[in-house]
Amino acid sequence: MIALLRLSGAGAGHRRDPFDASRRVEQAYPPEVLPLAAMVPGYARNREAARAVFGWLAERFPVDPVIGEAVRRLLDAPPPPPSQRDLPAPDAP
């Protein structure tokens, strides 16, 4: 995302770190340009994060229709059932 912003001409609000473009990115771009809070809300909200990232990309760049439709279907599908590893551990005696 950061590289796409740079390549598309969206200027950073402050001087970027020349060695690591992701360093202080939250200070470089305002939320209306790069909505980081929606894009990285935490592990429990992966689907919402994917929806935010895909929406951001689709608003700014052409998306192949076949790939876009496949992504939309995945985002709109019901979540899969929890796996064994997602279930809470049984109470210890």
Side-chain angles (χ1 to χ4, degrees), residues 2 11-17 21-31 33-34 36:
I2 301 163
H14 74 84
R15 196 181 84 185
R16 291 178 41 246
D17 186 315
S22 65
R23 189 171 182 194
R24 292 190 289 275
V25 69
E26 72 282 356
Q27 296 171 11
Y29 300 101
V33 174
L34 187 63
L36 287 174

Side-chain angles (χ1 to χ4, degrees), residues 47 50-51 54-55 57-59 61-78:
R47 187 176 296 246
R51 186 172 278 118
F54 180 71
L57 288 169
E59 287 175 10
F61 303 98
V63 174
D64 179 277
V66 174
I67 294 172
E69 183 55 34
V71 170
R72 286 182 195 91
R73 270 197 317 268
L74 287 170
L75 290 173
D76 293 339

